[in-house]
Amino acid sequence: MQSESNDFFYSVLPVLTRFEDVTDAENYTSLPDDWFLALADIVGSTGAIAEGRYKDVNMAGASVISAILNVLDQTDYPFVFGGDGALVAIPPTKRLDARQALSSVCSWVKEELRLDMRVALVPMKDVRKAGRDVGVARFAASPSVSYAMFNGGGASWAEQQMKAGHFLIKEESAAHPDLTGLSCRWDAIPSQRGQIVSLIVSPTSPSTMNEFRDLMVRLIAITSHTSRNGNPVPAEGPPLRYNAQNIEREAHATAPPDKRSARKWAIRMQIWLTILLYRFNLSLGRFNARQYARDVAQNSDFRKFDDGLKMTLDVDADQLKQIRSLLETGKGNGICDYGLHSQDSALMTCLVFNPLSHNHVHFIDGASGGYALAASQLVNRPKPMRP
């Protein structure tokens, strides 16, 4: 019988409250040796982006997290959203459940979103045999929500292995994944300062990690003097408008075909009611629309660490110039490689298991390619770090 002693590894980790602290390797704890990494990404995401379908790409990535958390009863597990994919770390006692969730969401993405998704389950033992590790930390985006941060190179190695055809889950499941909570009701969020920049910065060598950490701190500092630290989501929340396409996407995610018509009507009514409550600052029971919108802004994952710094920021022209200059210097000195993609607005994809609680989570990406196009610029990304 498998031990459940490590199942609650993540829930007892200390929570970091300063984002600068995610750059310190001392704040990370290694995943237990018997855990697994559940991964997924969209094959040919750049083609879908060229067709203007990045909202679908984002929803596919977020659906992986939703499906796994739901099949694991929404218990506290570390995950990270990558724009066109996702990663969730799971204990051995949940391996078969996660495998089923990955298989079913892969089939759903293919059938409903017309996208080709790769899914894999990578044992931590294999990660460590390859000389890599997966360290995990928790960062509090708000008093109600914390996100997992990953370092050690193991998550990137697992992604490379998946893309090379290893550890793949190839069987398809006819079962509809449980995507309860997956939502995409918010419209694109226009830049308030000039440009929405999706940025990925990766270290190039273990020997220069101290310099890399210094570079990250300097990058974070560029937007730290602004009231929102570069967060693209306005403090009072993003714009909420009636959007037929978003309603259609959510209905296809959260209801079987025979119940989608009723589900669409329910979503429409919820949106109109929320707009009404927000406009007149009214509450319905314990639900206050304006407080919910403020929670959305606070709970967004616009910056994270996933074997490198990933941020989607709202910046002005001077800040963008500073960012590019710092990154070019770091790349020229062999400290980092980076990808950067600019666009006019940001996208939000959400997991809202209970709108009456404050712990709903919101994934932020650029609206026109975001992290996926930034990642495509990383010339060193397919290669292991130099010693």
Side-chain angles (χ1 to χ4, degrees), residues 211-292:
E211 292 86 349
F212 181 72
R213 283 191 289 272
D214 178 65
L215 183 145
M216 288 190 293
V217 171
R218 292 166 66 191
L219 272 174
I220 294 165
I222 290 173
T223 57
S224 63
H225 65 276
T226 63
S227 61
R228 303 282 294 140
N229 294 312
N231 189 341
V233 187
E236 295 304 311
L240 177 61
R241 301 185 182 91
Y242 182 90
N243 186 304
Q245 273 194 320
N246 289 347
I247 293 170
E248 191 76 21
R249 288 186 182 97
E250 183 174 336
H252 277 249
T254 57
D258 60 330
K259 296 182 179 179
R260 282 178 190 159
S261 180
R263 178 61 182 152
K264 281 187 275 189
W265 276 109
I267 295 170
R268 290 186 189 106
M269 294 301 296
Q270 290 168 11
I271 291 174
W272 284 118
L273 179 60
T274 302
I275 291 172
L276 180 67
L277 294 172
Y278 186 94
R279 180 169 298 173
F280 294 102
N281 195 21
L282 300 173
S283 295
L284 183 62
R286 292 189 294 118
F287 179 76
N288 181 275
R290 294 193 181 184
Q291 181 58 56
Y292 178 82

Coordinates of all heavy atoms in Angstrom, one line a residue, residues 211-292:
E211 N 24.5 35.9 -10.3 CA 24.3 37.0 -11.2 C 22.9 37.0 -11.8 O 22.3 38.1 -12.0 CB 25.3 37.0 -12.3 CG 26.7 37.2 -11.9 CD 27.4 36.0 -11.4 OE1 26.8 34.9 -11.2 OE2 28.7 36.0 -11.3
F212 N 22.3 35.8 -12.0 CA 21.0 35.7 -12.6 C 20.0 36.2 -11.5 O 19.0 36.9 -11.9 CB 20.7 34.3 -12.9 CG 19.3 34.1 -13.5 CD1 19.0 34.5 -14.8 CD2 18.3 33.4 -12.8 CE1 17.7 34.4 -15.3 CE2 17.0 33.3 -13.3 CZ 16.7 33.7 -14.6
R213 N 20.2 35.8 -10.3 CA 19.3 36.3 -9.2 C 19.3 37.8 -9.1 O 18.3 38.5 -8.9 CB 19.6 35.6 -7.9 CG 19.1 34.2 -7.8 CD 19.2 33.7 -6.4 NE 20.6 33.4 -6.0 CZ 21.2 32.3 -6.2 NH1 20.6 31.3 -6.8 NH2 22.5 32.1 -5.8
D214 N 20.5 38.4 -9.2 CA 20.6 39.8 -9.1 C 19.9 40.5 -10.3 O 19.2 41.5 -10.2 CB 22.1 40.2 -9.2 CG 22.3 41.7 -9.2 OD1 21.9 42.4 -8.1 OD2 22.8 42.3 -10.2
L215 N 20.0 39.9 -11.5 CA 19.3 40.4 -12.7 C 17.8 40.4 -12.5 O 17.1 41.3 -12.8 CB 19.7 39.6 -13.9 CG 19.1 40.0 -15.3 CD1 20.2 39.8 -16.4 CD2 17.9 39.3 -15.6
M216 N 17.3 39.3 -11.9 CA 15.8 39.2 -11.7 C 15.4 40.2 -10.7 O 14.3 40.9 -10.9 CB 15.5 37.8 -11.1 CG 15.6 36.7 -12.1 SD 14.9 35.1 -11.6 CE 16.1 34.7 -10.3
V217 N 16.1 40.5 -9.6 CA 15.7 41.5 -8.7 C 15.7 42.9 -9.3 O 14.8 43.7 -9.1 CB 16.7 41.5 -7.5 CG1 16.5 42.7 -6.6 CG2 16.6 40.2 -6.7
R218 N 16.6 43.1 -10.2 CA 16.7 44.4 -10.9 C 15.5 44.5 -11.9 O 14.9 45.6 -12.1 CB 18.0 44.6 -11.7 CG 19.2 44.7 -10.7 CD 20.5 44.5 -11.4 NE 20.7 45.6 -12.4 CZ 21.7 45.6 -13.3 NH1 22.5 44.5 -13.4 NH2 21.9 46.6 -14.2
L219 N 15.1 43.4 -12.5 CA 13.9 43.4 -13.4 C 12.7 43.7 -12.6 O 11.8 44.5 -13.0 CB 13.8 42.1 -14.1 CG 14.5 41.8 -15.4 CD1 14.4 40.4 -15.8 CD2 14.0 42.8 -16.5
I220 N 12.5 43.0 -11.5 CA 11.3 43.3 -10.7 C 11.2 44.7 -10.2 O 10.2 45.3 -10.1 CB 11.3 42.3 -9.5 CG1 11.2 40.8 -10.0 CG2 10.2 42.6 -8.5 CD1 11.6 39.8 -8.9
A221 N 12.4 45.3 -9.9 CA 12.5 46.7 -9.4 C 12.0 47.7 -10.4 O 11.5 48.8 -10.0 CB 13.9 47.0 -8.9
I222 N 12.1 47.4 -11.7 CA 11.7 48.3 -12.7 C 10.2 48.7 -12.6 O 9.9 49.9 -12.8 CB 12.0 47.8 -14.1 CG1 13.5 47.7 -14.4 CG2 11.3 48.6 -15.2 CD1 13.9 47.0 -15.7
T223 N 9.4 47.8 -12.2 CA 8.0 48.1 -12.1 C 7.5 48.2 -10.6 O 6.3 48.5 -10.4 CB 7.1 47.1 -12.8 OG1 7.4 45.8 -12.2 CG2 7.4 47.0 -14.3
S224 N 8.4 48.0 -9.7 CA 8.0 48.0 -8.3 C 7.6 49.3 -7.7 O 6.8 49.4 -6.8 CB 9.2 47.5 -7.4 OG 10.3 48.4 -7.5
H225 N 8.0 50.4 -8.4 CA 7.6 51.8 -7.9 C 6.2 52.1 -8.4 O 5.6 53.2 -7.9 CB 8.6 52.8 -8.4 CG 8.6 53.0 -9.9 ND1 9.4 52.2 -10.7 CD2 8.0 53.9 -10.7 CE1 9.2 52.6 -11.9 NE2 8.4 53.6 -12.0
T226 N 5.6 51.4 -9.3 CA 4.2 51.7 -9.7 C 3.2 51.1 -8.7 O 3.6 50.2 -8.0 CB 3.9 51.1 -11.1 OG1 4.1 49.6 -11.0 CG2 5.0 51.6 -12.1
S227 N 2.0 51.6 -8.7 CA 1.1 51.2 -7.7 C 0.6 49.8 -7.8 O 0.2 49.2 -6.9 CB -0.2 52.1 -7.8 OG -0.8 52.0 -9.1
R228 N 0.8 49.2 -9.0 CA 0.3 47.8 -9.2 C 1.5 46.8 -9.5 O 1.2 45.7 -9.9 CB -0.7 47.8 -10.4 CG -1.9 48.7 -10.2 CD -2.9 48.1 -9.2 NE -3.5 46.9 -9.8 CZ -3.7 45.8 -9.0 NH1 -3.4 45.7 -7.8 NH2 -4.3 44.7 -9.6
N229 N 2.7 47.3 -9.4 CA 3.9 46.5 -9.7 C 3.8 45.9 -11.1 O 4.4 44.8 -11.4 CB 4.0 45.3 -8.7 CG 4.3 45.8 -7.3 OD1 5.2 46.6 -7.1 ND2 3.5 45.3 -6.3
G230 N 3.2 46.6 -12.0 CA 3.1 46.2 -13.4 C 1.9 45.3 -13.7 O 1.7 44.8 -14.8
N231 N 1.1 45.0 -12.7 CA -0.1 44.1 -12.8 C -1.0 44.7 -13.9 O -1.5 45.8 -13.8 CB -0.8 44.0 -11.5 CG -1.9 42.9 -11.6 OD1 -2.4 42.5 -12.6 ND2 -2.4 42.5 -10.4
P232 N -1.3 43.9 -15.0 CA -2.2 44.4 -16.0 C -3.6 44.6 -15.6 O -4.4 45.3 -16.3 CB -2.1 43.4 -17.2 CG -0.9 42.6 -16.8 CD -0.8 42.6 -15.3
V233 N -4.0 44.0 -14.5 CA -5.4 44.0 -14.1 C -5.7 45.3 -13.2 O -5.0 45.4 -12.2 CB -5.8 42.8 -13.3 CG1 -7.3 42.8 -13.0 CG2 -5.4 41.5 -14.0
P234 N -6.6 46.1 -13.6 CA -6.8 47.3 -12.8 C -7.2 47.0 -11.4 O -7.8 45.9 -11.1 CB -8.0 48.0 -13.5 CG -7.9 47.5 -14.9 CD -7.4 46.1 -14.8
A235 N -6.9 47.8 -10.4 CA -7.2 47.5 -9.0 C -8.6 47.3 -8.7 O -9.0 46.5 -7.8 CB -6.7 48.7 -8.1
E236 N -9.5 47.9 -9.5 CA -11.0 47.7 -9.3 C -11.5 46.5 -10.1 O -12.7 46.3 -10.2 CB -11.7 48.9 -9.6 CG -11.4 50.1 -8.7 CD -11.7 49.7 -7.2 OE1 -12.7 49.2 -6.9 OE2 -10.8 50.0 -6.4
G237 N -10.6 45.8 -10.8 CA -11.0 44.6 -11.5 C -11.0 44.9 -13.0 O -11.1 46.0 -13.4
P238 N -11.0 43.8 -13.8 CA -11.1 44.0 -15.3 C -12.5 44.3 -15.8 O -13.4 44.2 -15.0 CB -10.6 42.6 -15.8 CG -11.1 41.7 -14.7 CD -11.0 42.4 -13.4
P239 N -12.6 44.7 -17.0 CA -13.9 45.0 -17.6 C -14.7 43.7 -17.7 O -14.3 42.7 -18.2 CB -13.6 45.6 -19.0 CG -12.2 45.1 -19.3 CD -11.5 45.0 -18.0
L240 N -16.0 43.8 -17.3 CA -16.9 42.6 -17.4 C -18.0 43.0 -18.3 O -18.8 43.9 -18.1 CB -17.5 42.2 -16.1 CG -18.5 41.1 -16.1 CD1 -17.9 39.8 -16.6 CD2 -19.1 40.8 -14.7
R241 N -18.0 42.4 -19.5 CA -19.1 42.7 -20.5 C -19.6 41.4 -21.0 O -19.1 40.3 -20.9 CB -18.5 43.5 -21.6 CG -17.8 44.8 -21.2 CD -17.4 45.6 -22.5 NE -16.7 46.8 -22.1 CZ -15.4 47.0 -21.9 NH1 -14.6 45.9 -22.0 NH2 -14.9 48.1 -21.5
Y242 N -20.8 41.5 -21.6 CA -21.4 40.4 -22.3 C -20.6 40.0 -23.5 O -20.4 40.8 -24.4 CB -22.9 40.7 -22.6 CG -23.6 39.6 -23.2 CD1 -24.4 38.7 -22.4 CD2 -23.6 39.4 -24.6 CE1 -25.1 37.6 -23.0 CE2 -24.3 38.3 -25.2 CZ -25.0 37.5 -24.4 OH -25.7 36.4 -24.9
N243 N -20.2 38.7 -23.6 CA -19.4 38.3 -24.7 C -19.8 36.9 -25.1 O -19.6 35.9 -24.3 CB -17.9 38.3 -24.3 CG -17.0 37.9 -25.5 OD1 -17.1 36.9 -26.1 ND2 -16.0 38.8 -25.8
A244 N -20.5 36.8 -26.2 CA -21.1 35.5 -26.6 C -20.0 34.4 -26.8 O -20.3 33.3 -26.5 CB -21.9 35.7 -27.9
Q245 N -18.9 34.7 -27.3 CA -17.8 33.7 -27.5 C -17.3 33.2 -26.2 O -17.1 31.9 -26.1 CB -16.7 34.3 -28.3 CG -16.8 34.2 -29.8 CD -15.5 34.5 -30.5 OE1 -14.7 35.4 -30.1 NE2 -15.2 33.8 -31.6
N246 N -17.1 34.0 -25.2 CA -16.7 33.6 -23.9 C -17.7 32.7 -23.3 O -17.4 31.7 -22.6 CB -16.4 34.8 -23.0 CG -15.1 35.5 -23.5 OD1 -14.3 35.0 -24.3 ND2 -14.9 36.7 -22.9
I247 N -19.0 33.0 -23.4 CA -20.1 32.2 -22.9 C -20.1 30.8 -23.5 O -20.2 29.8 -22.9 CB -21.4 32.9 -23.1 CG1 -21.5 34.2 -22.2 CG2 -22.6 32.0 -22.7 CD1 -22.7 35.1 -22.5
E248 N -19.9 30.8 -24.8 CA -19.9 29.6 -25.6 C -18.7 28.7 -25.1 O -18.9 27.5 -24.8 CB -19.7 29.9 -27.1 CG -19.9 28.6 -28.0 CD -21.4 28.3 -28.1 OE1 -22.3 29.1 -27.9 OE2 -21.7 27.1 -28.5
R249 N -17.5 29.3 -24.9 CA -16.4 28.5 -24.4 C -16.6 27.9 -23.1 O -16.4 26.7 -22.8 CB -15.1 29.4 -24.4 CG -14.6 29.8 -25.7 CD -13.3 30.6 -25.5 NE -12.7 31.0 -26.7 CZ -12.8 32.3 -27.2 NH1 -13.5 33.1 -26.6 NH2 -12.3 32.6 -28.4
E250 N -17.1 28.7 -22.2 CA -17.4 28.2 -20.8 C -18.4 27.1 -20.8 O -18.3 26.1 -20.0 CB -17.7 29.3 -19.9 CG -17.9 28.9 -18.4 CD -18.1 30.0 -17.5 OE1 -17.8 31.2 -17.8 OE2 -18.7 29.8 -16.4
A251 N -19.5 27.3 -21.5 CA -20.5 26.3 -21.6 C -20.0 24.9 -22.1 O -20.4 23.9 -21.6 CB -21.7 26.8 -22.4
H252 N -19.2 25.0 -23.1 CA -18.6 23.8 -23.7 C -17.6 23.1 -22.7 O -17.5 21.9 -22.7 CB -17.9 24.1 -25.0 CG -18.8 24.1 -26.2 ND1 -18.7 23.2 -27.2 CD2 -19.8 25.0 -26.5 CE1 -19.7 23.5 -28.1 NE2 -20.3 24.6 -27.7
A253 N -17.1 23.9 -21.8 CA -16.1 23.3 -20.8 C -16.8 22.7 -19.7 O -16.4 21.7 -19.1 CB -15.2 24.4 -20.3
T254 N -17.9 23.3 -19.2 CA -18.5 22.9 -17.9 C -19.8 22.2 -18.0 O -20.4 21.9 -17.0 CB -18.7 24.2 -17.1 OG1 -19.6 25.1 -17.8 CG2 -17.4 24.8 -16.8
A255 N -20.3 21.9 -19.3 CA -21.5 21.1 -19.4 C -21.5 20.1 -20.6 O -20.9 20.4 -21.6 CB -22.7 22.1 -19.6
P256 N -22.1 19.0 -20.4 CA -22.2 18.0 -21.5 C -23.1 18.6 -22.6 O -23.9 19.5 -22.4 CB -22.8 16.8 -20.9 CG -23.5 17.3 -19.7 CD -22.8 18.5 -19.2
P257 N -23.0 18.0 -23.9 CA -23.8 18.6 -25.0 C -25.3 18.8 -24.7 O -25.8 19.8 -25.1 CB -23.5 17.6 -26.1 CG -22.2 17.0 -25.8 CD -22.1 16.9 -24.3
D258 N -25.9 17.8 -24.0 CA -27.3 17.9 -23.8 C -27.7 19.0 -22.8 O -28.9 19.3 -22.6 CB -27.9 16.6 -23.4 CG -27.3 16.0 -22.1 OD1 -26.1 16.4 -21.8 OD2 -28.0 15.3 -21.4
K259 N -26.8 19.6 -22.1 CA -27.1 20.5 -21.1 C -26.5 21.9 -21.3 O -26.6 22.8 -20.5 CB -26.7 20.1 -19.7 CG -27.4 18.8 -19.2 CD -26.9 18.4 -17.9 CE -27.7 17.1 -17.4 NZ -27.2 16.6 -16.1
R260 N -25.9 22.1 -22.5 CA -25.2 23.3 -22.8 C -26.1 24.5 -23.0 O -25.8 25.6 -22.7 CB -24.3 23.1 -24.0 CG -23.0 22.4 -23.7 CD -22.1 22.2 -24.8 NE -21.1 21.2 -24.4 CZ -20.3 20.5 -25.3 NH1 -20.6 20.6 -26.6 NH2 -19.4 19.7 -24.8
S261 N -27.3 24.3 -23.6 CA -28.2 25.4 -23.8 C -28.6 26.0 -22.5 O -28.6 27.2 -22.3 CB -29.4 24.9 -24.6 OG -30.3 26.0 -24.8
A262 N -29.0 25.1 -21.5 CA -29.3 25.6 -20.2 C -28.2 26.3 -19.5 O -28.3 27.3 -18.8 CB -29.9 24.5 -19.3
R263 N -27.0 25.7 -19.7 CA -25.8 26.3 -19.1 C -25.5 27.7 -19.6 O -25.1 28.6 -18.9 CB -24.6 25.4 -19.3 CG -23.3 25.9 -18.7 CD -23.3 26.0 -17.2 NE -22.1 26.5 -16.7 CZ -22.0 27.2 -15.6 NH1 -23.1 27.5 -14.9 NH2 -20.8 27.7 -15.2
K264 N -25.7 27.9 -20.9 CA -25.4 29.2 -21.5 C -26.4 30.2 -20.9 O -26.0 31.4 -20.7 CB -25.5 29.1 -23.0 CG -24.3 28.5 -23.7 CD -24.3 28.6 -25.2 CE -25.0 27.4 -25.8 NZ -24.9 27.4 -27.3
W265 N -27.6 29.8 -20.8 CA -28.6 30.8 -20.2 C -28.2 31.1 -18.8 O -28.3 32.3 -18.3 CB -30.0 30.2 -20.2 CG -30.7 30.4 -21.6 CD1 -31.0 29.5 -22.5 CD2 -31.1 31.7 -22.1 NE1 -31.6 30.1 -23.6 CE2 -31.7 31.4 -23.4 CE3 -31.1 33.0 -21.6 CZ2 -32.2 32.4 -24.2 CZ3 -31.7 34.0 -22.4 CH2 -32.2 33.7 -23.7
A266 N -27.7 30.1 -18.0 CA -27.3 30.4 -16.6 C -26.2 31.3 -16.6 O -26.1 32.3 -15.7 CB -27.0 29.1 -15.9
I267 N -25.2 31.2 -17.5 CA -24.0 32.0 -17.5 C -24.4 33.5 -17.9 O -24.0 34.4 -17.3 CB -23.0 31.5 -18.5 CG1 -22.4 30.2 -18.0 CG2 -21.8 32.5 -18.6 CD1 -21.6 29.5 -19.0
R268 N -25.3 33.6 -18.9 CA -25.8 34.9 -19.3 C -26.5 35.6 -18.1 O -26.2 36.8 -17.8 CB -26.8 34.8 -20.4 CG -26.2 34.3 -21.7 CD -27.3 34.4 -22.8 NE -26.8 33.8 -24.1 CZ -27.2 32.6 -24.5 NH1 -28.1 31.9 -23.8 NH2 -26.7 32.1 -25.6
M269 N -27.3 34.9 -17.4 CA -28.0 35.5 -16.2 C -27.0 35.9 -15.2 O -27.2 37.0 -14.6 CB -29.1 34.6 -15.7 CG -30.2 34.3 -16.6 SD -31.1 35.8 -17.1 CE -31.8 36.3 -15.5
Q270 N -26.0 35.1 -14.9 CA -25.0 35.4 -13.9 C -24.2 36.7 -14.3 O -23.9 37.5 -13.4 CB -24.1 34.3 -13.7 CG -24.7 33.1 -13.0 CD -23.8 31.8 -13.1 OE1 -22.7 31.9 -13.5 NE2 -24.4 30.7 -12.7
I271 N -23.9 36.8 -15.6 CA -23.1 38.0 -16.0 C -24.0 39.2 -15.9 O -23.5 40.2 -15.4 CB -22.7 37.8 -17.5 CG1 -21.6 36.7 -17.6 CG2 -22.1 39.1 -18.1 CD1 -21.2 36.3 -19.0
W272 N -25.2 39.2 -16.4 CA -26.1 40.4 -16.3 C -26.3 40.8 -14.8 O -26.3 42.0 -14.5 CB -27.4 40.2 -17.0 CG -27.3 40.2 -18.5 CD1 -27.5 39.2 -19.4 CD2 -26.9 41.3 -19.3 NE1 -27.3 39.6 -20.7 CE2 -26.9 40.9 -20.7 CE3 -26.4 42.6 -19.0 CZ2 -26.5 41.8 -21.7 CZ3 -26.1 43.5 -20.0 CH2 -26.1 43.1 -21.4
L273 N -26.5 39.8 -14.0 CA -26.7 40.1 -12.6 C -25.5 40.7 -11.9 O -25.6 41.7 -11.2 CB -27.1 38.8 -11.8 CG -27.4 39.0 -10.3 CD1 -28.5 39.9 -10.1 CD2 -27.7 37.6 -9.7
T274 N -24.3 40.2 -12.3 CA -23.1 40.7 -11.7 C -22.8 42.1 -12.2 O -22.4 43.0 -11.4 CB -21.9 39.8 -12.2 OG1 -22.1 38.5 -11.7 CG2 -20.6 40.4 -11.6
I275 N -23.1 42.4 -13.5 CA -23.0 43.8 -14.0 C -23.9 44.7 -13.3 O -23.5 45.8 -12.9 CB -23.3 43.8 -15.5 CG1 -22.2 43.1 -16.3 CG2 -23.4 45.2 -16.0 CD1 -22.5 42.9 -17.8
L276 N -25.1 44.3 -13.0 CA -26.1 45.1 -12.3 C -25.6 45.4 -10.9 O -25.7 46.5 -10.4 CB -27.5 44.4 -12.3 CG -28.6 45.2 -11.6 CD1 -29.0 46.4 -12.4 CD2 -29.8 44.3 -11.5
L277 N -25.2 44.3 -10.2 CA -24.8 44.5 -8.8 C -23.5 45.4 -8.7 O -23.4 46.2 -7.8 CB -24.4 43.1 -8.2 CG -25.6 42.2 -8.0 CD1 -25.1 40.8 -7.6 CD2 -26.6 42.7 -7.0
Y278 N -22.7 45.3 -9.7 CA -21.4 46.1 -9.7 C -21.8 47.6 -10.0 O -21.3 48.4 -9.3 CB -20.5 45.6 -10.8 CG -19.1 46.3 -10.8 CD1 -18.1 45.7 -10.1 CD2 -18.9 47.5 -11.4 CE1 -16.8 46.4 -10.1 CE2 -17.7 48.1 -11.4 CZ -16.7 47.6 -10.7 OH -15.5 48.2 -10.7
R279 N -22.6 47.8 -10.9 CA -23.0 49.2 -11.3 C -23.6 50.0 -10.2 O -23.3 51.1 -9.9 CB -23.9 49.2 -12.5 CG -24.3 50.6 -13.0 CD -25.0 50.5 -14.3 NE -24.1 49.9 -15.4 CZ -24.6 49.6 -16.6 NH1 -25.8 49.8 -16.9 NH2 -23.7 49.1 -17.5
F280 N -24.4 49.3 -9.4 CA -25.1 50.0 -8.3 C -24.6 49.6 -6.9 O -25.1 50.0 -5.9 CB -26.6 49.6 -8.3 CG -27.3 50.1 -9.6 CD1 -27.6 49.3 -10.6 CD2 -27.6 51.5 -9.7 CE1 -28.2 49.8 -11.8 CE2 -28.2 52.0 -10.8 CZ -28.5 51.1 -11.9
N281 N -23.4 48.9 -6.9 CA -22.7 48.6 -5.7 C -23.7 47.9 -4.7 O -23.8 48.3 -3.5 CB -22.1 49.8 -5.0 CG -21.1 49.4 -3.9 OD1 -20.6 48.3 -3.9 ND2 -20.8 50.3 -3.0
L282 N -24.3 46.9 -5.2 CA -25.3 46.1 -4.4 C -24.7 44.8 -4.0 O -23.8 44.3 -4.7 CB -26.6 45.9 -5.1 CG -27.3 47.2 -5.5 CD1 -28.5 46.8 -6.4 CD2 -27.8 47.9 -4.3
S283 N -25.2 44.1 -3.0 CA -24.8 42.8 -2.6 C -25.9 41.9 -2.7 O -27.1 42.2 -2.6 CB -24.3 42.8 -1.2 OG -23.1 43.5 -1.0
L284 N -25.6 40.6 -3.0 CA -26.6 39.6 -3.0 C -26.2 38.5 -2.0 O -25.3 37.7 -2.3 CB -26.8 38.9 -4.4 CG -27.8 37.9 -4.6 CD1 -29.2 38.5 -4.3 CD2 -27.8 37.3 -6.0
G285 N -26.8 38.5 -0.9 CA -26.3 37.7 0.2 C -24.9 38.1 0.6 O -24.6 39.2 0.9
R286 N -23.9 37.1 0.5 CA -22.5 37.4 0.9 C -21.7 37.8 -0.3 O -20.5 38.1 -0.2 CB -21.9 36.1 1.5 CG -22.5 35.8 2.9 CD -21.7 34.7 3.6 NE -21.8 33.4 2.9 CZ -20.8 32.8 2.4 NH1 -19.5 33.3 2.4 NH2 -21.0 31.6 1.8
F287 N -22.4 37.9 -1.5 CA -21.7 38.2 -2.7 C -21.8 39.7 -3.0 O -22.8 40.2 -3.2 CB -22.2 37.4 -3.9 CG -21.5 37.8 -5.2 CD1 -20.2 37.3 -5.5 CD2 -22.1 38.6 -6.2 CE1 -19.6 37.6 -6.7 CE2 -21.5 38.9 -7.4 CZ -20.2 38.4 -7.6
N288 N -20.6 40.4 -3.1 CA -20.5 41.8 -3.5 C -19.7 41.8 -4.7 O -18.5 41.5 -4.7 CB -19.9 42.6 -2.4 CG -19.9 44.1 -2.8 OD1 -18.9 44.5 -3.4 ND2 -20.9 44.8 -2.4
A289 N -20.3 42.3 -5.8 CA -19.6 42.3 -7.1 C -18.3 43.1 -7.1 O -17.3 42.7 -7.8 CB -20.5 42.7 -8.2
R290 N -18.3 44.3 -6.5 CA -17.1 45.1 -6.5 C -16.0 44.5 -5.7 O -14.8 44.6 -6.1 CB -17.5 46.5 -6.0 CG -18.4 47.2 -6.9 CD -18.5 48.7 -6.6 NE -19.5 49.4 -7.5 CZ -19.7 50.7 -7.5 NH1 -19.0 51.5 -6.7 NH2 -20.6 51.2 -8.4
Q291 N -16.3 43.9 -4.6 CA -15.3 43.2 -3.8 C -14.7 42.0 -4.6 O -13.5 41.7 -4.6 CB -15.9 42.7 -2.5 CG -14.8 42.0 -1.6 CD -13.6 42.9 -1.3 OE1 -13.8 44.0 -0.8 NE2 -12.4 42.4 -1.6
Y292 N -15.6 41.3 -5.3 CA -15.2 40.2 -6.1 C -14.2 40.6 -7.2 O -13.2 40.0 -7.4 CB -16.4 39.5 -6.8 CG -16.0 38.3 -7.7 CD1 -15.8 37.1 -7.1 CD2 -15.9 38.5 -9.0 CE1 -15.4 36.0 -8.0 CE2 -15.5 37.5 -9.9 CZ -15.3 36.2 -9.3 OH -14.9 35.2 -10.2

